[in-house]
Structures are given as C-alpha cells and as structure tokens.
Amino acid sequence: MTSTSDDLATFIVVANRLPVDRVVNEDGSIDWTTSPGGLVTALEPVMQRKGGAWIGWHGAPDETVEPFHHEGYDIVPIPLSAQEVTEYYEGFSNASLWPLYHDCVVDPEFHREWWDSYRTVNTRFAEKVAKRAAKNATVWVQDYQLQLVPRMLREARPDLKIGFFLHIPFPPIELYQHIPWRGELVDGLLGADLIGFQTPGAAHNFARLAHHRDGVTGPDDSDDIATLSDGRVVKIKDFPISIDARGFHELASSPQVHQEAEEMRKELGNPSTIIFGVDRLDYTKGLRQRIRAIGELFDEGKLDQDDCVFLQLATPSRERVEEYKILRNDIDLLVGRINSASDTLARPRIAYRHTSVPRSTLAAMYQIADIMIVTPLRDGMNLVAKEYLACRDDDNSALILSEFAGAALELDEAYMVNPYDIDGMKATIMKAINDSPQARAQKMRAMREQVFAHTIDDWADSFLTELGE
Ligand code: ADQ
C-alpha cells in the first residue's frame, strides 16, 4: 500500500462511498476489493482509465484510514463517526432524500439534527477536496449525499472545474418543496459548472426549481443554461448512464461462466423457463409487486412449477434503516407463503437468495435467464437491465421493464410494465413467455444494439467534454 497523502490530483471523483471494501485476511493483513453497486460499477472503469483520486468514506465508522493507491488511482478515505453514519447517511440521505427523490414511495422523514449532520459531513468532504485538488483541477461530485459540496467547493476554490451527477431521479417541484432546506440544497448544486441527470425529465424538474431561486435567470424550455446573479453560467443536462457492455459480454462468453451457468440450470432442475430478477433489497425496486404477480401466476396454473422457476437475488442494503428491515421481513414472508403453497416437494416456485455474488456468477445468472424482470417503482436508470442485454448472445430471451426506470427511455423495445398494475404485469409476463421467437428476437437485437452503442465510456466522455475537460 503506497501512501499518497501529499499528492495533488488534476482529476477527482467525490462520492459518499469509496469504490472498495476492506477485507481482513486470516493472517490479519488487509486487502481492498472493489465493492458492488451501481455507482461503482459505472465509475470504476473511468477512474482506471483517467487516474487521479477518489475521495469518499471507507465504510467503517469512527476509524481513520490513510490514503493509498489502488488499481491505477489514489483512494482518499474520509472518516465518519457512528453518529454521522446514523444521521447524515442513514438519516438525511437515505430516510429523507432517497424516498422523496423516488416520488415518496415511502414517507420521507425530516429531522433537524439529520440535516445538521448532512451539512457537517458535506463541509468535511469539500474541505478535503479543496486540499487535494491541483490548480484548475476537474472535480466530479457524485449523487444525492453530497449536494452541498459544489457550492462549498466553489467558495473555497474558484479555480476548479466542478461537475455534479445525480444517479437517482430528481422529483417534480411539488414534491421537492416539502424539504425544509430545499433552497440550500438547490444553491448547493448551483455551485457546479455542469449538473447532470439521468433523464431529460429529471433535468427539467431541476431547471424549473433553479429558475425559482433569487437572481437566477433561465433555463427556459429552449435552453439548458441557468445564469446566476454574478453572471456565472450553470449547464443543466441529461446524461443517461450505461455499462461496460463489452466487458460484460466478454465475461459472459467465457468458458468458466458458461460452465457455471450450466451447473446452475441443473441445480434449478433444468426447467424450460427461468425468470430472473436481481436488485438491491430496496423498496424502490418493486419486489413486493413483482413477487405477488409471479406468485399469482403460479397459483392460477398459468406458470407451471414443473417447468418454470423464478430466481430472485437481492443484495443486502441499508440494513439498519427501518423501512429496509420491514421490507426484508415482508419479502421473506411473501416468498415463504408462495413456496409453501406448492404441491410438490421437488423444487420451490421461487428460488430466493439474500446475498451479494461475484460479477462472474451474476453473468452466469444472466445467461440462464430466459426472462429478465426489472420492475422498479421508480429508478434513476437501472444498470441491471443493460447488463442483461450485454450478457445475452442468443435472441430467444426477453426483458420485462418498468416504465418508471430511467432505462425505459432508451430500451423502449422491452416488454413494458406499470409495476403498480399487478394484472397488467401478469399479462405482460405471460406475453413475454409466449411471444413468437421472431418477436422476441427483434426486440432483443434492437435493445442490445442500443446498449453497445452507448457505453459507460461514452457517458463519462460526454459529461467531461461538456464540462470542458
Ligand atoms: P442502484 O440502485 O444500486 O444504482 P442499479 O442501477 O440496478 O441500481 O445497479 C445495481 C448494480 O449492482 C448492478 O451493477 C448490479 O449488477 C449490481 N448488483 C445488484 N445485485 C447484486 C448482487 N446480488 N450481487 C452482485 N451485484 C449485484 C443507482 C441508481 C440507479 C442507477 C445507478 C447508476 O439507483 O438508478 O442506474 O445508481 O447510476
């Protein structure tokens, strides 16, 4: 591990979490491995290509970790106290902002001490970046946990080029106005030179809000530029995120993954149809509705359990936040109830695993998935849908996708569902299973083309070019 504590960087990514998890080996030595999750999957290849520094929390409360070098770039850990994890991270970020930005699919809670903690932690991040950034460096701030950082940084270091990208949706103004500290959050973002969103709708929602701030002119419908009272210009635009499509495809094509897929299919009893879902265990992902719909199809005999299995993988997520505990229990109960209604001992209707898996195992699961089901109630983008397409070679497969995922705009050939409409979802699942091979193939080809034509590198390049990197 090389210390990099004095190095200045010309390119910096700032995110709540570092892209690495600490692993303590049996002999007590420490290794850092790449952590799972959408944001890391998206940005790791960019960092490996560009170098520089990634500033973020290392995941252990009340601990200070020295900076180190990893896979071609510097890792700069920011400490958080246990109380800050509770208030800034689990509280304001994940129990206030996260539900509100996802259309209030559960009620957001607001507490003044959570907000104070959010501000304190954002200040710490901004101070660290201000220290590590070389003159005129480019700083790319990520996501909803750090919305105050652009403005704080602008005040400390006007020489920097500052970009901000929001990975989750941005809600309509009518919901946003509920936040007691809404003005400060918007001003925080307006400290950036460029603010990126997943979809034009999200960019438009933010632009409408910005327009209402004192001294801000524009943007109007024909314009994505806000001009502040000091004459500074802020660009507001959509940059739909994507994946390393070729990387996923190569992985999925390897003999090891093929073999793992074959063994998995056998373990599941060689059914003729495998329906597959994989998500962080999050209430925005629509798991309750999806499982209910598939359970009913089994009950009604439309899906035959001698011939069909639903494989659902859920990654543990935010396990100390109340709504996530409730969700975990609900899903356990729901799956248990559906499986216990089975009239055979042979195999369950739903093979459910609450775990994270290596990327190669995930690629094998994409390989055996005849039907991929992605049904969030609201999602910024959704990388799983794109990963599935990149991993498939044969066209005899189908993607079922929620119209409320950002990805639905680009993947409009998918079997589209409204996840709140259980009957509609059931009908679409049956259509995806029973459609002609030609109809399925035509859809798969069109969507695969889209995913290979707009990769993660294109996303990063277009954002950074717009920022003037
Ligand atoms: P997430 O909400 O985490 O991302 P998503 O875009 O689907 O959602 O990304 C999840 C990532 O985690 C995928 O790369 C997937 O392969 C991986 N993953 C999921 N379950 C796993 C498991 N059990 N084991 C291993 N890996 C697993 C947030 C936003 C999204 C946005 C991304 C990127 O909520 O809307 O698409 O950021 O901007």
Side-chain angles (χ1 to χ4, degrees), residues 9-136:
T10 52
F11 180 68
I12 296 181
V13 163
V14 199
N16 168 64
R17 273 303 301 269
L18 288 171
V20 285
D21 286 328
R22 185 165 44 178
V23 181
V24 182
N25 300 314
E26 272 175 18
D27 63 1
S29 62
I30 286 176
D31 278 330
W32 293 89
T33 59
T34 301
S35 50
L39 191 146
V40 173
T41 315
L43 277 169
E44 252 261 315
V46 180
M47 286 309 291
Q48 283 173 8
R49 195 160 47 96
K50 290 187 70 72
W54 185 313
I55 297 181
W57 181 45
H58 46 80
D62 290 325
E63 261 185 51
T64 302
V65 177
E66 289 303 313
F68 59 94
H69 202 71
H70 171 84
E71 312 250 338
Y73 59 96
D74 292 341
I75 296 278
V76 182
I78 298 268
L80 292 185
S81 70
Q83 189 175 350
E84 285 165 348
V85 174
T86 305
E87 295 181 347
Y88 143 79
Y89 178 66
E90 293 168 350
F92 195 73
S93 298
N94 286 321
S96 308
L97 293 178
W98 177 269
L100 189 121
Y101 280 35
H102 288 85
D103 284 357
C104 294
V105 294
V106 311
D107 286 338
E109 277 183 56
F110 298 110
H111 298 289
R112 284 166 285 185
E113 60 280 16
W114 289 2
W115 166 250
D116 290 342
S117 181
Y118 185 85
R119 207 197 271 132
T120 304
V121 171
N122 272 246
T123 307
R124 186 175 311 142
F125 270 81
E127 282 170 353
K128 178 60 86 180
V129 180
K131 253 194 214 146
R132 295 285 304 206
K135 189 151 178 51
N136 300 325

Side-chain angles (χ1 to χ4, degrees), residues 37-39 41 98 167-168 198 241 278-280 285 313 315 355-357 362 366 379-384 387:
L39 191 146
T41 315
W98 177 269
H167 291 256
I168 66 175
Q198 299 274 27
I241 203 166
V278 53
D279 315 75
R280 271 186 315 97
K285 301 290 183 185
L313 195 64
T315 326
T355 182
S356 188
V357 296
L362 189 58
Y366 289 138
D379 214 333
M381 177 56 59
N382 194 289
L383 299 181
V384 163
E387 290 167 7

